[in-house]
Amino acid sequence: MKIAVIGTGYVGLVSGVCFADFGHDIVCVDKDSRKIDMLERGEIPIFEPGLDAILARNTEAGRLTFSRDLPTAIQGADAVFIAVGTPTRRGDGHADVSYVMSAAEEIARAAKGYVVIVTKSTVPVGTNRQLANVVRAANPDLDFDVASNPEFLREGAAIDDFMRPDRVIVGVQSDRAAAVMAAIYRPLFLRDFPIVTTDLESAEMIKYAANAFLATKITFINEIASLCERTGADVKEVAKGIGYDGRIGNKFLHAGPGYGGSCFPKDTKALARIGQENGVPMRITETVIEVNEQIKRQMIEKLRDLCDDSFAGKIVAVLGVTFKPNTDDMRESPALTIVPALLGGGATVRVTDPHGRAEGEALLPGVAWVENAYDAVKGADLLVLLTAWNEFRALDLRRLATAMRKPLMADLRNIYAPDDVLDSGFVAYTSIGRAPRKRP
């Protein structure tokens, strides 16, 4: 198959590279000359483990190329995937589909023969039918179909998610389009991965329902964690106990400082807006959004309590600022709420993150960036463990405590055991869903 992928952001680039690894002929298109230049040099503009090796393998094999020229790139393509951004629209919380529609119009004007135009971007229910109207208006004579093919890629594990998916969702209106999509995903079908072919609206809704459910699960365990702190229960034990129930499952039950990233915040807001527009309020999802923001603010108070109610004059070491490990993405990261509060309260903040600095320098002005955790804690009054990078999971706790002016730890990912932290020289330890501890 010949496939063009419009957009070389996270979804577009991962999809294009993986499609090429299936054996398809792929052209990835972007208007950003800097990105295309980087990719042609074999450089990856995002951090995603393993992506560079697959990109190199397929460019060398001639299956993967990059271009700024959309009209040329789509000529002869069996399918064109639209993978451009759909950011939250200011003022109403809805997903902004203007980039999707612009790409569709450009495809329509350039296409010559039959083509399936596939929406990979996350879009509100009904968008693909609107897209078809845009294409018809731009080129009434074009022979085409539209398809919805939402992505379910976890940042940091995107290659495995694409190559070994829980399922592939395909929304179509015709058997012809279904056949093209089946041919594209044939390598997965042959390995018995589920391919769910449905209608356009159901495919669009599946994406929002999945992300809203997962965001709800995270927020539920975070609320339970707050109750555990008041009642003396341990949220890690609670999560383990309920996670063995097959109806619940153990994934997304890790209490923390709130969800962030490129998908959950944006998609929950969009689903809430879709519900409002259709007269069916998504009350659970609306509450999830509200509680998640509340959880982030609670973290600030947790840190303030550890610092005797004041950040003024304190030196705070923050370990990790990306919204999760194995990504450089800081969109909606809890760090964007917590770190400014520390600075605003008069603290000096030192930050270390394996891949967060490139984005973080612009998003977190006023912090000092250091190379590692041990540099961050020198003379510090508080250590905040904010992102669960592997580099932070087996630190020398005694070395950290010895280097600090006042060894206090806020473990907002519940990585360490309280007794181990206190036995290593820390005088106080707080975490999520467990009672704060102090050394006798």
Side-chain angles (χ1 to χ4, degrees):
M1 307 291 285
K2 179 177 180 182
I3 300 170
V5 179
I6 313 303
T8 60
Y10 189 85
V11 172
L13 185 57
V14 171
S15 299
V17 169
C18 290
F19 279 142
D21 215 47
F22 285 173
H24 299 309
D25 180 9
I26 308 297
V27 183
C28 291
V29 182
D30 204 293
K31 293 181 178 180
D32 188 333
S33 297
R34 183 188 64 85
K35 279 187 178 181
I36 296 299
D37 289 342
M38 287 182 67
L39 290 166
E40 288 181 335
R41 294 193 302 266
E43 299 172 8
I44 306 290
I46 60 173
F47 175 71
E48 178 60 37
L51 188 60
D52 52 351
I54 302 176
L55 183 143
R57 178 167 69 236
N58 286 282
T59 51
E60 185 177 349
R63 291 188 296 266
L64 179 64
T65 57
F66 304 96
S67 176
R68 303 170 191 80
D69 184 355
L70 184 148
T72 301
I74 70 169
Q75 297 311 313
D78 299 286
V80 180
F81 282 75
I82 298 175
V84 297
T86 53
T88 300
R89 199 162 60 196
R90 287 188 178 181
D92 64 4
H94 221 322
D96 182 352
V97 298
S98 60
Y99 301 110
V100 173
M101 296 304 177
S102 178
E105 187 173 358
E106 194 172 352
I107 292 164
R109 289 175 175 166
K112 304 299 183 186
Y114 176 74
V115 65
V116 180
I117 302 172
V118 188
T119 305
K120 199 72 172 165
S121 305
T122 301
V123 295
V125 179
T127 298
N128 279 281
R129 292 192 185 274
Q130 296 171 19
L131 185 148
N133 292 334
V134 167
V135 173
R136 290 190 194 98
N139 188 349
D141 297 326
L142 181 64
D143 187 12
F144 76 98
D145 275 305
V146 297
S148 176
N149 181 216
E151 55 84 19
F152 299 93
L153 305 178
R154 295 168 299 160
E155 295 188 43
I159 304 300
D160 195 59
D161 285 345
F162 199 99
M163 299 297 194
R164 301 174 182 82
D166 293 327
R167 76 294 200 198
V168 174
I169 304 297
V170 175
V172 291
Q173 292 177 289
S174 74
D175 292 341
R176 192 180 185 188
V180 170
M181 297 301 292
I184 290 171
Y185 282 107
R186 180 174 169 79
L188 295 182
F189 177 79
L190 292 174
R191 290 155 56 206
D192 292 326
F193 291 105
I195 312 292
V196 179
T197 302
T198 184
D199 58 273
L200 294 175
E201 286 79 9
S202 295
E204 292 165 334
M205 184 63 82
I206 286 167
K207 169 67 175 181
Y208 282 112
N211 278 356
F213 187 89
L214 294 175
T216 300
K217 198 171 180 182
I218 292 170
T219 305
F220 175 80
I221 199 63
N222 283 339
E223 271 205 318
I224 291 294
S226 296
L227 187 58
C228 286
E229 291 174 8
R230 295 293 182 91
T231 60
D234 183 331
V235 73
K236 294 190 74 170
E237 296 301 314
V238 173
K240 184 190 299 182
I242 66 175
Y244 282 123
D245 189 324
R247 297 165 299 176
I248 297 172
N250 60 5
K251 294 183 178 179
F252 288 84
L253 287 179
H254 300 288
Y259 63 74
S262 61
C263 293
F264 289 177
K266 175 174 67 71
D267 292 351
T268 50
K269 290 174 186 175
L271 181 60
R273 184 62 180 172
I274 293 167
Q276 292 164 7
E277 290 183 347
N278 286 277
V280 186
M282 298 287 100
R283 292 177 181 169
I284 292 174
T285 301
E286 290 172 356
T287 301
V288 165
I289 295 167
E290 179 185 344
V291 172
N292 188 60
E293 292 306 310
Q294 177 187 326
I295 292 292
K296 292 179 184 179
R297 293 192 295 271
Q298 283 179 5
M299 298 303 106
I300 299 168
E301 297 311 309
K302 186 183 290 286
L303 301 184
R304 201 188 310 275
D305 289 344
L306 202 54
C307 291
D308 297 325
D309 295 325
S310 177
F311 298 134
K314 304 292 196 307
I315 298 174
V316 181
V318 175
L319 309 190
V321 290
T322 55
F323 87 95
K324 62 181 286 189
N326 296 322
T327 180
D328 57 356
D329 197 342
M330 285 189 59
R331 282 174 286 186
E332 302 288 340
S333 170
L336 299 180
T337 299
I338 295 168
V339 172
L342 293 170
L343 292 168
T348 298
V349 180
R350 299 190 195 124
V351 172
T352 183
D353 188 290
H355 291 278
R357 185 167 184 170
E359 285 194 29
E361 284 187 328
L363 295 172
L364 296 173
V367 308
W369 292 86
V370 296
E371 288 300 315
N372 56 58
Y374 302 107
D375 289 341
V377 300
K378 290 177 181 176
D381 302 282
L382 172 65
L383 184 159
V384 181
L385 212 163
L386 199 47
T387 309
W389 286 93
N390 281 339
E391 291 89 328
F392 304 146
R393 288 183 175 274
L395 294 168
D396 185 335
L397 297 177
R398 189 168 298 279
R399 180 180 171 187
L400 293 173
T402 302
M404 296 177 70
R405 181 166 64 185
K406 188 173 184 181
L408 307 172
M409 181 188 288
D411 179 1
L412 303 187
R413 296 293 178 177
N414 290 352
I415 290 174
Y416 292 101
D419 287 343
D420 290 344
V421 174
L422 297 179
D423 290 346
S424 298
F426 281 86
V427 298
Y429 171 84
T430 192
S431 56
I432 307 292
R434 302 181 292 193
R437 297 278 301 276
K438 293 185 177 181
R439 195 168 63 198

